[in-house]
Amino acid sequence: MGQQLATMPMLSTAEWRAVSVAFNDAADVRCGVSGQPGKLSRIFSALTGIEPKRPLADARLEALRGFVCQTRTTRKEAAELVPTLIEQGFNRAQIQALALLAA
């Protein structure tokens, strides 16, 4: 039983919130996060009221958001983002569970 608990893909409350944000972003087809908005982006925002997505404050949560959003949008695992998730401390079980949930 202890071995099974160690491999369960657990996420924190904040991580589940990032997953929720990613699902909302994917529904809006707005997974990309822009850095500093350019002049055209600011004009577009002023005219339409649509703001560009900003990165989440925490790099770990932003990596999670990006992976889930891209996986949800394309309906296949965002394999190119897996190394970033691993660098941020996510394990393979968590990544696989997130890919299954989002696809």
Side-chain angles (χ1 to χ4, degrees):
M1 175 94 170
Q3 179 70 356
Q4 184 181 17
L5 289 177
T7 60
M8 289 182 65
M10 304 296 285
L11 295 176
S12 70
T13 302
E15 290 165 346
W16 279 116
R17 285 188 191 123
V19 169
S20 177
V21 168
F23 270 80
N24 289 332
D25 289 351
D28 292 340
V29 191
R30 293 176 47 180
C31 290
V33 175
S34 61
Q36 194 70 349
K39 185 176 183 178
L40 288 177
S41 178
R42 289 191 305 270
I43 292 170
F44 178 79
S45 294
L47 293 174
T48 64
I50 299 172
E51 294 291 325
K53 291 290 178 191
R54 302 274 189 239
L56 298 177
D58 181 274
R60 178 178 167 90
L61 297 178
E62 180 57 30
L64 176 61
R65 186 204 65 83
F67 175 81
V68 171
C69 189
Q70 186 172 328
T71 299
R72 183 72 175 173
T73 301
T74 62
R75 301 294 185 193
K76 62 180 183 175
E77 182 180 291
E80 68 277 7
L81 300 178
V82 170
T84 302
L85 289 176
I86 292 170
E87 287 173 12
Q88 292 295 329
F90 290 98
N91 63 48
R92 293 277 180 197
Q94 289 171 313
I95 295 167
Q96 288 173 342
L98 290 164
L100 287 172
L101 177 69

